[in-house]
Amino acid sequence: MSKPVVVVHGGAGRIPEHRWDGAMRGVETAAISGWDVINAGGRAVDAVTAAVRSMELDPQFNAGLGGVLNVSGEIRLDAAIQCGRRLEMGAVADLPAMRHPSALVRRMLDEDCSSFLVGAGALRQAEEWGFEAVGTEALVTETRLAQWRAAKHEGVDEQRPVFGDEGDTVGAVALDANGDLAAMTSTGGIVYKAIGRVGDSPVVGSGLVADNELGAASSTGKGEDLLKAVVCQVALDRLHRGDMCLTAARYALERMQRRTMSLGGMILINPYGEVGIHHTSDHMSWAQMDDSLTKPLSGYQFS
Ligand code: ASP
């Protein structure tokens, strides 16, 4: 018997203390948005879309409004969704500033057309469907400008981006009453990233994965290393070998740390609705909603 569930994260890293409350409120609101969909009999793909949309609207997260700036001071977004029923997906990378990349990748999944579009091609398809590029000015925040100025001042090498304190990429996984799994991730990437740089977030197997036979995951951390370690697929392989979700998530992240020295976080669920939430970074904000809870279970660090 599968037990419907929604789990979201608001990014791994070192979340500064002044953001702890805000991050908790943001992920809890997102988990409720996703759970409302499942509770009303909706689909897992709709639940993850609603959850991620809520965090794209929240300027404290690095997705949609509040996305980080690349080396030339522009917001470029990456996002993806996968449905576990037939592995349908939609993904965009290096997308010019848009409020809801989640809506665009969701439309790609529904249309069952090209599954991965980048840059000008992604923008062209978005505009054809009526999604508007609003420009960096519409989405940039004071915090992001300050981060960008600091990176410029420090002379950060854009080809060697540093993953440090951001901790605010967003992701969601869900299981619905039909037994369908879904996963979604949305991000601006890493502060002062190189032009054309794409991390793990839009890449199935690294940034997210959903497969009804195994599970659904969304990861966060330094994209360069999450890509190398194919962390989400590694976690699913562990589920296939019989691991519980927490053990599988921990294995995938510890393997990445061992092989690449990189820290990160992951939310993982299996087809029965068991949950694994783990991070090797100092923090990762997360929230979970299911039938047994009257309000979201949430956290940002292990005690
Ligand atoms: N994984 C994202 C990237 O590298 C960043 C993050 O998770 O915060 O683009």
Side-chain angles (χ1 to χ4, degrees):
M1 220 5 226
S2 56
K3 181 168 153 277
V5 63
V6 173
V7 187
V8 308
H9 72 75
R14 200 176 310 114
I15 309 174
E17 197 170 338
H18 69 267
R19 275 202 52 224
W20 289 353
D21 286 347
M24 285 302 92
R25 271 197 307 278
V27 288
E28 287 171 7
T29 303
I32 291 169
S33 305
W35 182 248
D36 284 348
V37 171
I38 299 284
N39 213 17
R43 300 174 58 199
V45 280
D46 291 322
V48 293
T49 307
V52 167
R53 184 182 181 86
S54 140
M55 292 186 280
E56 285 173 341
L57 284 167
D58 186 334
Q60 70 183 316
F61 294 116
N62 174 15
L65 179 65
V68 299
L69 301 172
N70 69 7
V71 64
S72 54
E74 282 180 327
I75 292 178
R76 292 288 178 142
L77 303 166
D78 303 336
I81 184 171
Q82 184 164 41
C83 172
R85 194 187 294 179
R86 289 193 194 81
L87 311 180
E88 310 96 304
M89 60 165 279
V92 291
D94 204 28
L95 178 74
M98 207 165 273
R99 285 192 193 281
H100 293 296
S102 57
L104 175 57
V105 295
R106 178 58 209 278
R107 177 77 183 261
M108 290 169 73
L109 178 141
D110 287 343
E111 298 281 342
D112 196 17
C113 54
S114 304
S115 56
F116 202 152
L117 292 170
V118 302
L123 178 62
R124 188 170 167 182
Q125 180 64 83
E127 287 176 340
E128 207 167 286
W129 284 335
F131 298 105
E132 194 195 350
V134 291
T136 296
E137 311 70 44
L139 300 184
V140 71
T141 62
E142 276 305 317
T143 310
R144 298 312 182 194
L145 260 180
Q147 284 174 341
W148 183 81
R149 286 197 191 107
K152 193 177 162 82
H153 182 72
E154 283 161 27
V156 167
D157 177 355
E158 76 241 32
Q159 297 298 348
R160 287 183 183 72
V162 183
F163 184 76
D165 297 345
E166 300 97 303
D168 40 25
T169 281
V170 310
V173 292
L175 170 67
D176 64 29
N178 286 326
D180 282 328
L181 288 160
M184 183 180 253
T185 304
S186 181
T187 187
I190 288 185
V191 180
Y192 217 68
K193 66 184 182 181
I195 293 169
R197 180 265 188 194
V198 178
D200 60 299
S201 304
V203 179
V204 163
S206 292
L208 78 164
V209 75
D211 180 343
N212 281 6
E213 293 183 359
L214 295 170
S218 168
S219 70
T220 167
K222 185 175 177 184
E224 283 70 6
D225 296 325
L226 292 158
L227 278 168
K228 291 173 198 163
V230 205
V231 280
C232 288
Q233 192 58 44
V234 166
L236 255 54
D237 287 347
R238 296 304 300 190
L239 293 181
H240 187 56
R241 290 166 188 235
D243 277 2
M244 302 291 284
C245 286
L246 181 57
T247 316
R250 187 181 289 150
Y251 176 89
L253 290 168
E254 286 176 356
R255 172 182 169 271
M256 175 172 81
Q257 185 174 359
R258 193 171 67 243
R259 304 304 309 277
T260 72
M261 313 279 287
S262 211
L263 306 175
M266 182 185 292
I267 52 176
L268 175 67
I269 57 177
N270 72 11
Y272 307 104
E274 284 165 9
V275 174
I277 297 163
H278 191 63
H279 53 95
T280 48
S281 53
D282 288 356
H283 304 128
M284 179 181 75
S285 56
W286 61 269
Q288 170 184 345
M289 258 316 271
D290 62 47
D291 237 349
S292 66
L293 299 166
T294 50
K295 62 183 181 54
L297 199 61
S298 61
Y300 57 87
Q301 70 184 346
F302 300 124
S303 48

